[in-house]
């Protein structure tokens, strides 16, 4: 299993993650276990997007600001099958 938390954050873009906890924005509550994709990553913030809704194709997003070591509190990377 690859440990992405040791890699440069820029390499996280496009990776699939699973939330470790409930996360709230002003609009949404993303439940623990929600699958999301890293939309962008830099040393200031991570932007995550939900997978498109099967019915309506809408995606919701959230931003987490913090330090690289703290992101493990919010999500783990999911290995994708090709």
């Amino acid at each position: 299993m690859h440990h992405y938390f040791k890699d440069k954050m820029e390499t996280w873009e496009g990776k699939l993650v699973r939330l470790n906890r409930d996360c709230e924005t002003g609009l949404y509550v993303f439940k623990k276990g929600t699958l999301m994709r890293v939309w962008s990553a830099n040393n200031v913030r991570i932007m995550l997007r939900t997978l498109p809704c099967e019915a309506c194709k809408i995606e919701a997003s959230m931003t987490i600001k913090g330090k690289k070591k703290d992101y493990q509190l919010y999500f783990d990377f999911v290995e994708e099958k090709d």
Side-chain angles (χ1 to χ4, degrees), residues 4-5 13-14 16 20 23 25 32 41 44 48 52-54 64:
Y4 290 102
F5 287 109
E13 291 183 13
L16 192 64
N20 289 333
C23 295
T25 68
K32 178 181 178 178
V44 178
L48 301 176
C53 171
E54 289 184 20
I64 305 171

Side-chain angles (χ1 to χ4, degrees), residues 9-62:
M9 291 171 58
E10 292 79 19
T11 66
W12 297 1
E13 291 183 13
K15 301 292 184 221
L16 192 64
V17 299
R18 183 183 317 276
L19 296 182
N20 289 333
R21 62 192 316 171
D22 290 354
C23 295
E24 270 187 70
T25 68
L27 298 173
Y28 303 105
V29 176
F30 297 101
K31 293 294 188 187
K32 178 181 178 178
T34 300
L35 288 174
M36 301 186 87
R37 199 165 292 283
V38 178
W39 185 252
S40 72
N42 59 45
N43 60 1
V44 178
R45 70 178 192 272
I46 299 288
M47 293 177 66
L48 301 176
R49 269 200 178 157
T50 59
L51 304 181
C53 171
E54 289 184 20
C56 65
K57 305 299 182 219
I58 289 177
E59 300 173 13
S61 63
M62 72 172 182

